[in-house]
Amino acid sequence: MPHYTLTFADPAGHLLDVEMTLPSPTAGERVAMPSWIPGSYLMREFARHVATLSASQSGREIRAEKVDKATWQLGCTPGEPVTVSYRVYAWDRSVRGCYFDSSRGFVNPAAALLQDASNPQAACTLDLKAPAFSDGHAWRVATSMTATQIDARGFGHYHAENYDELIDHPLECADFDEFTFEAGGVLHRFVISGKHRGDLERLKADSQKICQGHCDLFGDSVAPFDQYVFQLHVVDDGYGGLEHRASTALICPRNDLPSVGDASVSEGYRELLGLISHEYFHAWNVKRIKPAAFTPYDTTRENYTRLLWIFEGFTSYYDELMLTRVGLITEADYLKIIGRRLTSLLRAPGAKLQSTAEASFDAWIKYYRADENAANSQFSYYLRGSFVALALDLTLRANDSEASLDDVMRGLWRDYGKTGVGVPEDPFSVISRYAGQDVAPLLANWVNSTTDPDWAALFAPFGVSYRTRASANAADRGGRDEATIETNTRTLGLVMGDSGAGLPVIKVVLSGGSAWQAGLSAGDTLVAVDGLRASATTLSKHLARFKAGTAVPLSYFRHDQLRETTVNVPTAQQTLRDSVWLPLEGTDSVAALRRQKWLSQA
């Protein structure tokens, strides 16, 4: 049984001290650090943060030789306890690694605790030491790991049935705010680290509704965990989440929290609620309902699957749908969100090149390594998978059949989530069985090709129209109608950024657009439009002066060399109708009832 001791050693140097003791090592004992963390499909090479490592038996140092990028072989005497001592640099503020300074310690065990490579199924124990430095005296611990003997602040002894479980319980240590609530018959703890002025009573009530909604969706009276912990870190500018079997780590801007006395739902708060909903749904979908490729995880190498469109995509469908179902956002709000998501599909040329299954399979080399050409060569399996879920759900509900996507999820939970059996790589017949009809041809077409569903036909039975138009301005994200449409950078096929010196820099050039045809590239800095200086604030104003069909002279720098080109403003026939909105139309009572069943909690 591997035993770990973790100490918050040096807050100024951001160093964690770890001791790993193996009571009965083998002759060629090896220990290894994971190369990736489940839920984030990129080789992150956590061994690069190991600053020093040594091993000893009975007080004498023994050989610890690195044999590959993440594995050490120990020259130990078999059967005699061996201790591996090492330091981990912890300065990753994301939800995927470790972070440590005098204000906070966050530990993802996958990024800090070595694995007994010869016996990964052995039970593990962890001693989490209370910090000795003065600022750490107020720290408490928030984790879903099983405690066996801890003090009032949560420091002490923890236990996990195996290494896979050990690394699935992150540790949040700080002087945080917190509240608790019950959902699905179990206690939920919500902690918030970082300075904020949020209305935690409102966040508590809204979070409870979301969690209870998901528990009700899966139809069990009790949630599939003994407790659940939300670990929210608020920052000035950052966003993300990572799911775990009984907890989730979240990051959001502090101003996204609701303000005391303000009952409105700001866009930032709605996004935070969607993030909470998304990661909580993962407790069923991907932490327990898993692809066969993840049963078990192998964190030393890539685990390939073409099914992330189910596990991330279906989760992305249900995240904000649940906000509607429990009454946190309106029907109109939800249709605006869906319109914006469908807008992103129309604006990505890569959606016509990469299928949903291919996007899933290539996550390891593409999704997390998106570059300036990503929009032209790939498309998110999160979004494309959510569209598959939406199209399937609308297809089933339009037929007024007994089944919906809710029934598909409950079937997957019953036969795969509860049993631990992995979902096969060809899941279409399985989904058809739960749907009560053969949807395999439809799914295969949506998933294995770049063919999009007929959205107008799918939305019509619900009294929703599918409308498209050109981008109104550079900030236009779709989701609503616009009375005025003027020439702007999106019209030209550009996504812009700021150089930091007030000059507009091209981030993305969309293939086939006017800017593409004019030879502009990502990284070019625009300096003048028709001989007039362009800045980040004046660029859109200059472009708005030009009508369709006009040839616009542009001056720009590429690698410090001044260049000139001419960009043609597209005509009405050439302009892409790349913005979607979904208005309600008609008074058909049957359509209204279908829509109510879709957007209300069953």
Side-chain angles (χ1 to χ4, degrees):
M1 177 187 293
H3 176 71
Y4 303 85
T5 301
L6 192 152
T7 304
F8 294 99
D10 180 359
H14 318 298
L15 294 172
L16 307 172
D17 278 353
V18 184
E19 285 190 352
M20 175 190 190
T21 300
L22 301 174
S24 185
T26 61
E29 183 66 50
R30 292 188 175 199
V31 293
M33 189 70 82
S35 289
W36 65 283
I37 185 169
S40 184
Y41 310 106
L42 177 70
M43 300 301 280
R44 299 189 181 275
E45 315 299 6
F46 294 121
R48 64 195 171 97
H49 297 307
V50 175
T52 62
L53 184 144
S54 62
S56 62
Q57 283 183 301
S58 302
R60 70 184 187 280
E61 186 169 345
I62 63 170
R63 177 173 52 83
E65 180 182 10
K66 203 168 187 182
V67 294
D68 63 32
K69 63 181 181 179
T71 306
W72 289 260
Q73 185 163 325
L74 309 180
C76 56
T77 303
E80 180 182 333
V82 61
T83 298
V84 181
S85 303
Y86 59 102
R87 302 200 104 177
V88 175
Y89 180 65
W91 197 236
D92 180 351
R93 209 178 186 188
S94 77
V95 296
R96 298 174 293 270
C98 300
Y99 178 89
F100 171 41
D101 65 9
S102 60
S103 66
R104 174 180 179 249
F106 176 74
V107 179
N108 257 312
L113 303 184
L114 291 165
Q115 179 183 32
D116 178 358
S118 65
N119 191 12
Q121 295 307 310
C124 305
T125 56
L126 168 68
D127 272 328
L128 182 63
K129 296 294 186 181
F133 53 90
S134 58
D135 290 341
H137 292 165
W139 282 18
R140 288 165 288 136
V141 181
T143 183
S144 55
M145 192 179 298
T146 301
T148 53
Q149 188 175 359
I150 57 174
D151 63 21
R153 293 193 291 155
F155 293 98
H157 198 69
Y158 290 86
H159 177 271
E161 289 299 319
N162 51 44
Y163 185 78
D164 184 56
E165 181 183 325
L166 177 72
I167 64 173
D168 214 8
H169 297 287
L171 306 155
E172 176 72 41
C173 305
D175 182 12
F176 44 66
D177 295 322
E178 67 176 299
F179 55 78
T180 60
F181 59 85
E182 185 175 296
V186 303
L187 184 70
H188 290 60
R189 184 184 184 189
F190 202 123
V191 305
I192 304 96
S193 62
K195 184 177 177 60
H196 68 89
R197 302 180 189 88
D199 183 349
L200 299 191
E201 283 301 316
R202 182 179 177 191
L203 179 61
K204 173 182 176 177
D206 292 348
S207 299
Q208 194 278 336
K209 290 178 182 178
I210 293 168
C211 294
Q212 188 61 56
H214 285 305
C215 291
D216 292 343
L217 168 66
F218 283 98
D220 288 337
S221 58
V222 179
F225 31 73
D226 297 328
Q227 59 172 322
Y228 195 90
V229 179
F230 289 96
Q231 302 164 327
L232 173 61
H233 182 50
V234 294
V235 297
D236 186 52
D237 184 21
Y239 181 83
L242 186 64
E243 70 275 3
H244 297 276
R245 65 181 63 193
S247 63
T248 182
L250 309 170
I251 290 179
C252 80
R254 56 178 53 86
N255 291 323
D256 282 358
L257 292 175
S259 299
V260 176
D262 183 0
S264 66
V265 180
S266 68
E267 188 158 309
Y269 185 47
R270 192 265 303 158
E271 288 181 354
L272 172 59
L273 293 177
L275 179 64
I276 290 168
S277 180
H278 183 102
E279 303 303 339
Y280 191 71
F281 190 84
H282 270 317
W284 288 266
N285 194 36
V286 91
K287 296 313 300 182
R288 289 168 175 83
I289 309 169
K290 297 181 182 181
F294 292 175
T295 52
Y297 293 113
D298 182 350
T299 56
T300 67
R301 62 177 182 83
E302 295 90 342
N303 294 188
Y304 291 101
T305 177
R306 289 179 167 82
L307 298 185
L308 293 181
W309 58 273
I310 294 179
F311 298 101
E312 291 295 353
F314 281 28
T315 303
S316 295
Y317 172 62
Y318 275 104
D319 52 19
E320 282 167 318
L321 175 61
M322 187 56 68
L323 305 189
T324 315
R325 287 182 169 183
V326 300
L328 297 179
I329 62 174
T330 66
E331 184 178 272
D333 291 333
Y334 181 67
L335 293 176
K336 179 180 177 181
I337 292 166
I338 296 301
R340 283 183 169 181
R341 290 183 175 182
L342 289 169
T343 295
S344 68
L345 176 67
L346 294 187
R347 292 181 179 175
K352 296 299 183 184
L353 299 179
Q354 185 185 49
S355 74
T356 310
E358 290 169 341
S360 298
F361 193 83
D362 279 344
W364 297 97
I365 60 171
K366 290 191 176 182
Y367 181 76
Y368 291 93
R369 291 174 173 167
D371 57 20
E372 67 282 348
N373 194 49
N376 297 320
S377 62
Q378 58 181 287
F379 192 71
S380 166
Y381 51 82
Y382 282 81
L383 283 174
R384 202 65 170 272
S386 74
F387 299 149
V388 172
L390 171 63
L392 177 58
D393 205 11
L394 295 180
T395 297
L396 297 176
R397 292 177 182 276
N399 296 330
D400 297 320
S401 66
E402 294 296 321
S404 68
L405 191 63
D406 295 354
D407 297 286
V408 172
M409 294 311 303
R410 284 189 281 267
L412 289 170
W413 171 236
R414 180 185 65 248
D415 295 340
Y416 295 93
K418 290 184 175 181
T419 64
V421 175
V423 176
E425 284 294 301
D426 183 2
F428 303 134
S429 61
V430 171
I431 292 174
S432 293
R433 184 168 74 250
Y434 303 138
Q437 55 186 281
D438 185 11
V439 293
L442 275 177
L443 285 173
N445 189 37
W446 295 335
V447 171
N448 294 326
S449 76
T450 58
T451 302
D452 293 323
D454 183 343
W455 293 113
L458 285 172
F459 282 117
F462 300 85
V464 178
S465 292
Y466 176 80
R467 301 286 187 85
T468 62
R469 56 169 173 78
S471 299
N473 51 58
D476 181 9
R477 296 170 59 191
R480 57 193 173 90
D481 194 8
E482 288 284 354
T484 304
I485 296 174
E486 57 190 24
T487 301
N488 60 82
T489 52
R490 286 198 179 277
T491 308
L492 305 180
L494 291 172
V495 178
M496 303 299 300
D498 191 330
S499 67
L503 293 175
V505 174
I506 298 174
K507 293 174 61 179
V508 176
V509 180
L510 298 177
S511 61
S514 296
W516 175 285
Q517 294 168 0
L520 293 169
S521 297
D524 291 347
T525 301
L526 301 185
V527 293
V529 177
D530 194 25
L532 296 174
R533 184 173 60 183
S535 69
T537 56
T538 63
L539 175 62
S540 59
K541 296 176 182 178
H542 286 325
L543 292 176
R545 300 279 184 174
F546 296 98
K547 304 299 183 182
T550 306
V552 181
L554 290 182
S555 304
Y556 64 98
F557 279 110
R558 177 179 297 173
H559 307 315
D560 300 323
Q561 181 178 344
L562 184 64
R563 298 190 179 197
E564 308 286 340
T565 191
T566 300
V567 178
N568 294 313
V569 179
T571 64
Q573 292 76 23
Q574 296 169 322
T575 300
L576 293 175
R577 299 180 64 85
D578 62 358
S579 301
V580 177
W581 87 101
L582 302 170
L584 296 177
E585 293 192 348
T587 57
D588 186 334
S589 60
V590 175
L593 180 60
R594 286 196 194 105
R595 191 170 66 249
Q596 181 184 22
K597 289 181 177 179
W598 167 36
L599 299 179
S600 300
Q601 180 75 320

